[in-house]
Amino acid sequence: MATQTLTSKNFESTITAGGIVLVDFWASWCGPCRQFAPVFEAASVTHDDIVFGKVDTEDEQTLAAAAKITSIPTLMAFRDGILVFSQPGALPAAGLEQVIDGVRALDMDAIRTQLAQQNQPA
């Protein structure tokens, strides 16, 4: 599956649709972003069960600000609508594969329980 463009109109519905969603926050003038783009695109072909989305931080400044993006590229991973990974910097292919493997291996029931406990009043 090829990468898809995410905007303020489809970002929320994409990340909350379920499953794993990887989001690359990037800009055309960013050298590391251009280096990471083919790695991200290749992974999108290999992992057709994962949604790979790209947010152009120049076109979507409000969305980038809401996501608290301070450095690009930034890779975010969502699973079942929950942010489970966020890291700035271009990853090599092996590094991206490690992130994917780690996100796949997460115990989401444990994460939901932990989040529920954190959101309870003290």
Side-chain angles (χ1 to χ4, degrees):
M1 175 186 295
T3 60
Q4 57 185 339
T5 300
L6 298 181
T7 66
S8 56
K9 290 182 172 73
N10 67 354
F11 184 83
E12 189 73 24
S13 62
T14 301
I15 65 169
T16 59
I20 298 172
V21 180
L22 297 181
V23 182
D24 174 22
F25 288 84
W26 69 283
S28 60
W29 51 262
C30 166
C33 298
R34 289 193 307 269
Q35 286 179 313
F36 182 58
V39 172
F40 194 72
E41 185 69 34
S44 76
V45 173
T46 305
H47 301 282
D48 59 0
D49 60 321
I50 296 175
V51 174
F52 287 77
K54 294 180 73 73
V55 176
D56 184 335
T57 58
E58 291 295 309
D59 291 342
E60 296 293 333
Q61 292 181 15
T62 302
L63 180 54
K68 298 181 173 89
I69 301 301
T70 58
S71 180
I72 54 174
T74 290
L75 177 67
M76 288 186 170
F78 297 86
R79 182 155 167 207
D80 301 336
I82 299 169
L83 177 64
V84 295
F85 178 87
S86 180
Q87 178 178 305
L91 291 171
L96 181 54
E97 288 299 320
Q98 282 184 316
V99 170
I100 291 169
D101 290 345
V103 172
R104 284 188 200 278
L106 291 173
D107 180 344
M108 292 309 293
D109 289 332
I111 289 173
R112 282 188 276 279
T113 299
Q114 182 181 16
L115 287 173
Q117 290 171 348
Q118 289 174 357
N119 292 328
Q120 290 181 349

